[in-house]
């Protein structure tokens, strides 16, 4: 008799966090694509994001496609202290780390690509470093949105990297990112209906047409 293959536990997010910086000057910048993703989800699901001082962020909750309760969060703590806001919500609602889906920008992914993973390191991202530290765990799903590398920049050129990350998308890039954000909504809905593991197949094989 063969043993039944152990299926991975179904991981369904209860909290979706988008990373960014709160001031108007950071609106529409590459580093704030996580905020844009939460705005897109709130529009799609007709949630109203309001500032919640206890959670140090903009927050909304309601019923997601698929019927479960879902919460959306944009930390207003600045990127490198994102974990404070995330921890405030997870402590209040007693949400385990594996039920927190974090959406953020990734320079190592080309524009128009997304990557969904169930766990992993911060990969040099300050927002993720803060969340891993505050949740005391790397075992939470994350959806990375590609913002590409600065053109012609050496990997060790920090000034170019900072200006790229904090720069705004060009008109052409913005059109592409609108397509990506529509897909991010689809991808998030898949994680809620099928679980993170199953959603990976779709979210990691897709690419926006440039």
């Amino acid at each position: 008799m063969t043993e039944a293959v152990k299926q991975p536990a179904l991981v369904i997010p209860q909290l979706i966090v988008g990373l960014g910086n709160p001031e108007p000057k950071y609106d529409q910048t590459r580093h704030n694509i996580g905020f844009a993703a939460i705005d897109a989800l709130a529009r799609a699901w007709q949630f109203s994001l309001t500032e919640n001082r206890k959670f140090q962020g903009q927050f909304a909750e309601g019923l997601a496609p698929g019927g479960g309760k879902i919460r959306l969060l944009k930390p207003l703590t600045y990127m490198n202290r994102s974990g404070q806001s995330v921890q405030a919500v997870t402590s209040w609602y007693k949400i385990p780390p594996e039920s927190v889906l974090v959406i953020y920008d990734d320079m190592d992914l080309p524009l128009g690509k997304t990557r969904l993973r169930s766990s992993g390191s911060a990969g040099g991202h300050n927002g993720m470093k803060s969340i891993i530290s505050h949740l005391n765990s790397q075992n939470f799903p994350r959806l990375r949105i590609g913002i590409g590398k600065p053109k012609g920049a050496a990997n060790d050129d920090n000034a170019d990297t900072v200006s790229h990350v904090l720069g705004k998308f060009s008109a052409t890039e913005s059109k592409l990112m609108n397509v990506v954000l529509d897909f991010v909504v689809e991808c998030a809905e898949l994680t809620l209906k099928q679980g993170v593991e199953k959603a990976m197949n779709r979210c990691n094989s897709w690419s926006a047409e440039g």
Side-chain angles (χ1 to χ4, degrees):
M1 229 175 91
T2 55
E3 267 189 62
V5 177
K6 187 170 181 282
Q7 291 296 320
L10 199 61
V11 176
I12 306 283
Q14 297 175 43
L15 169 66
I16 302 178
V17 182
L19 299 187
N21 283 307
E23 287 181 72
K25 68 180 178 184
Y26 295 112
D27 282 352
Q28 311 299 318
T29 59
R30 294 179 179 90
H31 212 27
N32 267 36
I33 196 66
F35 274 12
I38 294 297
D39 290 339
L41 289 168
R43 278 194 302 274
W45 300 343
Q46 298 184 322
F47 285 13
S48 180
L49 286 158
T50 54
E51 188 166 344
N52 184 310
R53 289 192 178 170
K54 180 172 61 192
F55 297 154
Q56 302 175 65
Q58 285 193 351
F59 181 77
E61 66 177 327
L63 290 179
K69 182 167 271 195
I70 189 68
R71 301 163 185 94
L72 301 178
L73 176 68
K74 290 161 63 175
L76 298 179
T77 51
Y78 287 95
M79 187 69 84
N80 61 355
R81 295 200 297 275
S82 301
Q84 293 175 10
S85 173
V86 176
Q87 187 185 37
V89 179
T90 56
S91 297
W92 182 260
Y93 290 106
K94 306 210 168 12
I95 298 171
E98 59 270 19
S99 297
V100 180
L101 171 62
V102 183
I103 304 176
Y104 62 103
D105 58 296
D106 188 348
M107 266 200 340
D108 291 326
L109 272 182
L111 217 64
K113 290 290 282 182
T114 59
R115 278 284 177 279
L116 180 65
R117 293 278 182 269
S118 56
S119 63
S121 69
H125 194 286
N126 288 334
M128 288 298 282
K129 284 179 190 170
S130 176
I131 294 171
I132 287 168
S133 167
H134 279 82
L135 295 184
N136 202 23
S137 173
Q138 293 187 357
N139 294 323
F140 55 88
R142 67 283 311 269
L143 177 60
R144 294 177 288 137
I145 299 175
I147 59 166
K149 281 192 161 74
K151 284 184 176 66
N155 284 341
D156 55 357
D157 193 335
N158 200 39
D160 270 355
T161 297
V162 171
S163 60
H164 176 71
V165 166
L166 296 181
K168 294 184 189 283
F169 292 108
S170 69
T172 311
E173 288 173 338
S174 289
K175 280 184 185 165
L176 186 68
M177 293 316 290
N178 286 336
V179 176
V180 172
L181 288 170
D182 284 344
F183 179 70
V184 164
V185 172
E186 181 188 326
C187 192
E189 290 180 357
L190 273 177
T191 69
L192 298 174
K193 290 171 181 170
Q194 301 179 359
V196 171
E197 287 285 339
K198 272 195 173 172
M200 280 186 205
N201 293 332
R202 171 83 176 120
C203 301
N204 295 340
S205 60
W206 179 88
S207 179
E209 293 299 316

mmCIF file of all heavy atoms in Angstrom, residues 19 102 104-106 108 117-133 137-144:
data_model
loop_
_atom_site.group_PDB
_atom_site.id
_atom_site.type_symbol
_atom_site.label_atom_id
_atom_site.label_comp_id
_atom_site.label_asym_id
_atom_site.label_seq_id
_atom_site.Cartn_x
_atom_site.Cartn_y
_atom_site.Cartn_z
ATOM 1 N N LEU A 19 3.074 47.650 0.612
ATOM 2 C CA LEU A 19 4.126 48.498 1.192
ATOM 3 C C LEU A 19 4.351 49.765 0.375
ATOM 4 O O LEU A 19 4.279 49.758 -0.852
ATOM 5 C CB LEU A 19 5.426 47.700 1.309
ATOM 6 C CG LEU A 19 5.364 46.449 2.197
ATOM 7 C CD1 LEU A 19 6.741 45.854 2.362
ATOM 8 C CD2 LEU A 19 4.733 46.752 3.553
ATOM 9 N N VAL A 102 1.899 39.908 1.745
ATOM 10 C CA VAL A 102 2.527 41.230 1.597
ATOM 11 C C VAL A 102 2.835 41.480 0.113
ATOM 12 O O VAL A 102 3.413 40.628 -0.564
ATOM 13 C CB VAL A 102 3.829 41.331 2.426
ATOM 14 C CG1 VAL A 102 4.419 42.731 2.309
ATOM 15 C CG2 VAL A 102 3.552 41.002 3.894
ATOM 16 N N TYR A 104 4.720 44.016 -2.612
ATOM 17 C CA TYR A 104 5.750 45.067 -2.637
ATOM 18 C C TYR A 104 6.531 45.033 -3.945
ATOM 19 O O TYR A 104 6.401 44.110 -4.755
ATOM 20 C CB TYR A 104 6.692 44.936 -1.439
ATOM 21 C CG TYR A 104 7.495 43.646 -1.369
ATOM 22 C CD1 TYR A 104 8.843 43.615 -1.728
ATOM 23 C CD2 TYR A 104 6.904 42.455 -0.938
ATOM 24 C CE1 TYR A 104 9.578 42.442 -1.648
ATOM 25 C CE2 TYR A 104 7.632 41.276 -0.856
ATOM 26 C CZ TYR A 104 8.968 41.283 -1.218
ATOM 27 O OH TYR A 104 9.699 40.108 -1.146
ATOM 28 N N ASP A 105 7.351 46.058 -4.147
ATOM 29 C CA ASP A 105 8.131 46.232 -5.376
ATOM 30 C C ASP A 105 9.404 45.396 -5.342
ATOM 31 O O ASP A 105 9.974 45.162 -4.277
ATOM 32 C CB ASP A 105 8.509 47.710 -5.536
ATOM 33 C CG ASP A 105 9.314 48.218 -4.335
ATOM 34 O OD1 ASP A 105 8.760 48.239 -3.221
ATOM 35 O OD2 ASP A 105 10.503 48.572 -4.501
ATOM 36 N N ASP A 106 9.852 44.970 -6.525
ATOM 37 C CA ASP A 106 11.102 44.207 -6.620
ATOM 38 C C ASP A 106 11.881 44.629 -7.859
ATOM 39 O O ASP A 106 11.420 44.458 -8.987
ATOM 40 C CB ASP A 106 10.798 42.706 -6.679
ATOM 41 C CG ASP A 106 12.059 41.854 -6.575
ATOM 42 O OD1 ASP A 106 13.171 42.401 -6.681
ATOM 43 O OD2 ASP A 106 11.936 40.637 -6.407
ATOM 44 N N ASP A 108 14.630 43.293 -8.904
ATOM 45 C CA ASP A 108 15.229 42.152 -9.593
ATOM 46 C C ASP A 108 14.258 41.480 -10.556
ATOM 47 O O ASP A 108 14.637 40.589 -11.303
ATOM 48 C CB ASP A 108 15.747 41.121 -8.584
ATOM 49 C CG ASP A 108 16.951 41.665 -7.817
ATOM 50 O OD1 ASP A 108 17.730 42.421 -8.428
ATOM 51 O OD2 ASP A 108 17.098 41.362 -6.624
ATOM 52 N N ARG A 117 5.253 33.908 -3.657
ATOM 53 C CA ARG A 117 5.983 32.898 -2.888
ATOM 54 C C ARG A 117 5.312 32.717 -1.530
ATOM 55 O O ARG A 117 4.676 33.638 -1.021
ATOM 56 C CB ARG A 117 7.436 33.331 -2.652
ATOM 57 C CG ARG A 117 8.285 33.387 -3.919
ATOM 58 C CD ARG A 117 8.807 32.022 -4.298
ATOM 59 N NE ARG A 117 9.659 32.051 -5.473
ATOM 60 C CZ ARG A 117 9.260 31.894 -6.731
ATOM 61 N NH1 ARG A 117 7.980 31.738 -6.991
ATOM 62 N NH2 ARG A 117 10.123 31.889 -7.725
ATOM 63 N N SER A 118 5.480 31.550 -0.934
ATOM 64 C CA SER A 118 4.831 31.298 0.360
ATOM 65 C C SER A 118 5.716 31.693 1.544
ATOM 66 O O SER A 118 5.242 31.785 2.670
ATOM 67 C CB SER A 118 4.434 29.832 0.479
ATOM 68 O OG SER A 118 5.565 29.008 0.295
ATOM 69 N N SER A 119 7.015 31.946 1.285
ATOM 70 C CA SER A 119 7.932 32.349 2.361
ATOM 71 C C SER A 119 9.236 32.808 1.722
ATOM 72 O O SER A 119 9.388 32.758 0.500
ATOM 73 C CB SER A 119 8.204 31.175 3.306
ATOM 74 O OG SER A 119 8.848 30.137 2.609
ATOM 75 N N GLY A 120 10.180 33.249 2.555
ATOM 76 C CA GLY A 120 11.482 33.648 2.021
ATOM 77 C C GLY A 120 12.091 34.804 2.789
ATOM 78 O O GLY A 120 11.489 35.331 3.734
ATOM 79 N N SER A 121 13.287 35.186 2.370
ATOM 80 C CA SER A 121 14.017 36.257 3.062
ATOM 81 C C SER A 121 13.517 37.624 2.582
ATOM 82 O O SER A 121 12.688 37.710 1.682
ATOM 83 C CB SER A 121 15.509 36.135 2.776
ATOM 84 O OG SER A 121 15.750 36.451 1.412
ATOM 85 N N ALA A 122 14.086 38.673 3.167
ATOM 86 C CA ALA A 122 13.694 40.046 2.806
ATOM 87 C C ALA A 122 14.274 40.459 1.461
ATOM 88 O O ALA A 122 13.772 41.378 0.820
ATOM 89 C CB ALA A 122 14.144 41.013 3.886
ATOM 90 N N GLY A 123 15.346 39.800 1.034
ATOM 91 C CA GLY A 123 15.963 40.136 -0.244
ATOM 92 C C GLY A 123 16.420 41.581 -0.328
ATOM 93 O O GLY A 123 16.383 42.197 -1.384
ATOM 94 N N GLY A 124 16.823 42.156 0.817
ATOM 95 C CA GLY A 124 17.325 43.534 0.809
ATOM 96 C C GLY A 124 16.238 44.598 0.877
ATOM 97 O O GLY A 124 16.539 45.788 0.865
ATOM 98 N N HIS A 125 14.967 44.202 0.937
ATOM 99 C CA HIS A 125 13.867 45.174 0.975
ATOM 100 C C HIS A 125 13.595 45.591 2.426
ATOM 101 O O HIS A 125 13.278 44.757 3.266
ATOM 102 C CB HIS A 125 12.606 44.544 0.356
ATOM 103 C CG HIS A 125 11.544 45.534 0.037
ATOM 104 N ND1 HIS A 125 10.760 46.123 0.992
ATOM 105 C CD2 HIS A 125 11.130 46.045 -1.154
ATOM 106 C CE1 HIS A 125 9.907 46.958 0.408
ATOM 107 N NE2 HIS A 125 10.111 46.925 -0.896
ATOM 108 N N ASN A 126 13.731 46.894 2.705
ATOM 109 C CA ASN A 126 13.633 47.369 4.087
ATOM 110 C C ASN A 126 12.259 47.130 4.713
ATOM 111 O O ASN A 126 12.155 46.853 5.906
ATOM 112 C CB ASN A 126 13.993 48.860 4.173
ATOM 113 C CG ASN A 126 15.478 49.090 3.973
ATOM 114 O OD1 ASN A 126 16.284 48.195 4.241
ATOM 115 N ND2 ASN A 126 15.849 50.255 3.494
ATOM 116 N N GLY A 127 11.216 47.257 3.920
ATOM 117 C CA GLY A 127 9.877 46.996 4.437
ATOM 118 C C GLY A 127 9.726 45.547 4.876
ATOM 119 O O GLY A 127 9.167 45.248 5.937
ATOM 120 N N MET A 128 10.264 44.645 4.062
ATOM 121 C CA MET A 128 10.180 43.219 4.388
ATOM 122 C C MET A 128 11.052 42.873 5.595
ATOM 123 O O MET A 128 10.668 42.052 6.432
ATOM 124 C CB MET A 128 10.589 42.385 3.181
ATOM 125 C CG MET A 128 9.561 42.404 2.066
ATOM 126 S SD MET A 128 7.973 41.693 2.599
ATOM 127 C CE MET A 128 8.370 39.954 2.525
ATOM 128 N N LYS A 129 12.218 43.509 5.690
ATOM 129 C CA LYS A 129 13.090 43.287 6.865
ATOM 130 C C LYS A 129 12.333 43.618 8.145
ATOM 131 O O LYS A 129 12.387 42.878 9.137
ATOM 132 C CB LYS A 129 14.343 44.169 6.781
ATOM 133 C CG LYS A 129 15.394 43.702 5.793
ATOM 134 C CD LYS A 129 16.563 44.678 5.794
ATOM 135 C CE LYS A 129 17.518 44.389 4.648
ATOM 136 N NZ LYS A 129 18.521 45.462 4.482
ATOM 137 N N SER A 130 11.612 44.740 8.120
ATOM 138 C CA SER A 130 10.867 45.187 9.291
ATOM 139 C C SER A 130 9.735 44.211 9.634
ATOM 140 O O SER A 130 9.523 43.870 10.797
ATOM 141 C CB SER A 130 10.298 46.592 9.025
ATOM 142 O OG SER A 130 9.488 47.004 10.108
ATOM 143 N N ILE A 131 9.025 43.725 8.616
ATOM 144 C CA ILE A 131 7.908 42.799 8.864
ATOM 145 C C ILE A 131 8.420 41.460 9.406
ATOM 146 O O ILE A 131 7.873 40.917 10.373
ATOM 147 C CB ILE A 131 7.072 42.592 7.579
ATOM 148 C CG1 ILE A 131 6.384 43.904 7.193
ATOM 149 C CG2 ILE A 131 6.025 41.492 7.780
ATOM 150 C CD1 ILE A 131 5.702 43.880 5.838
ATOM 151 N N ILE A 132 9.491 40.949 8.807
ATOM 152 C CA ILE A 132 10.071 39.686 9.283
ATOM 153 C C ILE A 132 10.498 39.826 10.749
ATOM 154 O O ILE A 132 10.257 38.947 11.575
ATOM 155 C CB ILE A 132 11.260 39.262 8.386
ATOM 156 C CG1 ILE A 132 10.735 38.760 7.031
ATOM 157 C CG2 ILE A 132 12.110 38.173 9.057
ATOM 158 C CD1 ILE A 132 11.809 38.580 5.966
ATOM 159 N N SER A 133 11.099 40.972 11.078
ATOM 160 C CA SER A 133 11.552 41.219 12.447
ATOM 161 C C SER A 133 10.368 41.287 13.422
ATOM 162 O O SER A 133 10.398 40.670 14.487
ATOM 163 C CB SER A 133 12.345 42.531 12.475
ATOM 164 O OG SER A 133 12.551 42.948 13.792
ATOM 165 N N SER A 137 9.170 35.926 11.891
ATOM 166 C CA SER A 137 8.968 34.797 10.976
ATOM 167 C C SER A 137 9.189 35.252 9.536
ATOM 168 O O SER A 137 8.910 36.403 9.195
ATOM 169 C CB SER A 137 7.529 34.272 11.112
ATOM 170 O OG SER A 137 7.268 33.290 10.133
ATOM 171 N N GLN A 138 9.714 34.331 8.713
ATOM 172 C CA GLN A 138 9.788 34.561 7.267
ATOM 173 C C GLN A 138 8.685 33.789 6.552
ATOM 174 O O GLN A 138 8.544 33.873 5.333
ATOM 175 C CB GLN A 138 11.134 34.075 6.715
ATOM 176 C CG GLN A 138 12.332 34.846 7.187
ATOM 177 C CD GLN A 138 13.604 34.416 6.452
ATOM 178 O OE1 GLN A 138 13.600 33.507 5.633
ATOM 179 N NE2 GLN A 138 14.698 35.092 6.752
ATOM 180 N N ASN A 139 7.910 33.030 7.326
ATOM 181 C CA ASN A 139 6.933 32.127 6.720
ATOM 182 C C ASN A 139 5.585 32.800 6.505
ATOM 183 O O ASN A 139 4.582 32.459 7.131
ATOM 184 C CB ASN A 139 6.765 30.868 7.594
ATOM 185 C CG ASN A 139 8.035 30.052 7.602
ATOM 186 O OD1 ASN A 139 8.736 29.954 6.594
ATOM 187 N ND2 ASN A 139 8.358 29.478 8.746
ATOM 188 N N PHE A 140 5.601 33.796 5.631
ATOM 189 C CA PHE A 140 4.340 34.410 5.220
ATOM 190 C C PHE A 140 4.433 34.676 3.714
ATOM 191 O O PHE A 140 5.508 34.950 3.186
ATOM 192 C CB PHE A 140 4.058 35.700 6.005
ATOM 193 C CG PHE A 140 5.152 36.726 5.949
ATOM 194 C CD1 PHE A 140 5.194 37.662 4.933
ATOM 195 C CD2 PHE A 140 6.153 36.748 6.916
ATOM 196 C CE1 PHE A 140 6.201 38.612 4.876
ATOM 197 C CE2 PHE A 140 7.172 37.698 6.878
ATOM 198 C CZ PHE A 140 7.190 38.629 5.845
ATOM 199 N N PRO A 141 3.292 34.572 3.012
ATOM 200 C CA PRO A 141 3.319 34.738 1.562
ATOM 201 C C PRO A 141 3.595 36.171 1.146
ATOM 202 O O PRO A 141 3.281 37.111 1.881
ATOM 203 C CB PRO A 141 1.919 34.286 1.116
ATOM 204 C CG PRO A 141 1.073 34.345 2.328
ATOM 205 C CD PRO A 141 1.963 34.181 3.511
ATOM 206 N N ARG A 142 4.194 36.310 -0.014
ATOM 207 C CA ARG A 142 4.477 37.640 -0.540
ATOM 208 C C ARG A 142 4.317 37.638 -2.057
ATOM 209 O O ARG A 142 4.657 36.656 -2.731
ATOM 210 C CB ARG A 142 5.860 38.134 -0.130
ATOM 211 C CG ARG A 142 7.091 37.429 -0.682
ATOM 212 C CD ARG A 142 7.397 36.102 -0.028
ATOM 213 N NE ARG A 142 7.408 36.102 1.422
ATOM 214 C CZ ARG A 142 8.488 36.325 2.153
ATOM 215 N NH1 ARG A 142 9.643 36.561 1.573
ATOM 216 N NH2 ARG A 142 8.429 36.247 3.470
ATOM 217 N N LEU A 143 3.796 38.743 -2.562
ATOM 218 C CA LEU A 143 3.620 38.933 -4.004
ATOM 219 C C LEU A 143 4.494 40.110 -4.405
ATOM 220 O O LEU A 143 4.261 41.241 -3.988
ATOM 221 C CB LEU A 143 2.146 39.203 -4.320
ATOM 222 C CG LEU A 143 1.795 39.488 -5.786
ATOM 223 C CD1 LEU A 143 2.178 38.329 -6.695
ATOM 224 C CD2 LEU A 143 0.313 39.797 -5.931
ATOM 225 N N ARG A 144 5.528 39.808 -5.183
ATOM 226 C CA ARG A 144 6.462 40.852 -5.612
ATOM 227 C C ARG A 144 6.053 41.356 -6.994
ATOM 228 O O ARG A 144 5.735 40.561 -7.877
ATOM 229 C CB ARG A 144 7.892 40.302 -5.645
ATOM 230 C CG ARG A 144 8.413 39.940 -4.265
ATOM 231 C CD ARG A 144 9.796 39.319 -4.326
ATOM 232 N NE ARG A 144 9.791 37.980 -4.872
ATOM 233 C CZ ARG A 144 10.680 37.512 -5.741
ATOM 234 N NH1 ARG A 144 11.644 38.279 -6.194
ATOM 235 N NH2 ARG A 144 10.605 36.265 -6.165
#
